[in-house]
Amino acid sequence: MTCFVIDPTAKTITPVLWDGGLEAIRQLIGFETIDSDEINANGDRLFFDEKCFIRQTPGVGRFQLDSLAPVAGVGVVVGAGESAPQMTLQALQGRVKFL
């Protein structure tokens, strides 16, 4: 199935094949400590580095999805129950602002 990877350093949102597991999300984000927020009524979730707010990593970009707190580093959007997102890539692109 597919997930969306938000890379604020490259300022890209890319569909990526994903096996449905949390370990794959950790690998895509690059950190073991992950957290998530629900981002729509369909249950799509944004996963990100749980410590992104306190981790001091030079050269790492930030992004903001709607009015959520800005996230430093890579974000991964998946669907409810660790399935493919219900939202389209174009809809997600309209909701993300690179900072």
Side-chain angles (χ1 to χ4, degrees):
M1 75 191 78
T2 302
C3 66
F4 298 127
V5 175
I6 303 169
D7 182 341
T9 303
K11 296 185 175 165
T12 59
I13 304 173
T14 310
V16 173
L17 289 178
W18 168 59
D19 68 7
L22 285 176
E23 187 54 38
I25 292 173
R26 287 184 182 100
Q27 289 178 358
L28 289 168
I29 291 172
F31 294 100
E32 288 293 314
T33 56
I34 60 172
D35 197 359
S36 69
D37 279 322
E38 190 171 79
I39 58 172
N40 63 20
N42 294 323
D44 291 344
R45 298 192 75 78
L46 168 67
F47 282 85
F48 52 92
D49 172 23
E50 178 181 40
K51 296 182 181 178
C52 74
F53 305 111
I54 58 173
R55 199 181 302 273
Q56 298 297 319
T57 308
V60 172
R62 292 179 179 265
F63 70 93
Q64 186 172 17
L65 182 84
D66 298 332
S67 62
L68 294 175
V71 173
V74 174
V76 176
V77 175
V78 303
E82 298 172 1
S83 63
Q86 295 296 306
M87 99 171 30
T88 65
L89 176 60
Q90 292 77 18
L92 180 60
Q93 288 169 330
R95 295 175 60 187
V96 171
K97 178 171 62 170
F98 294 107
L99 307 174

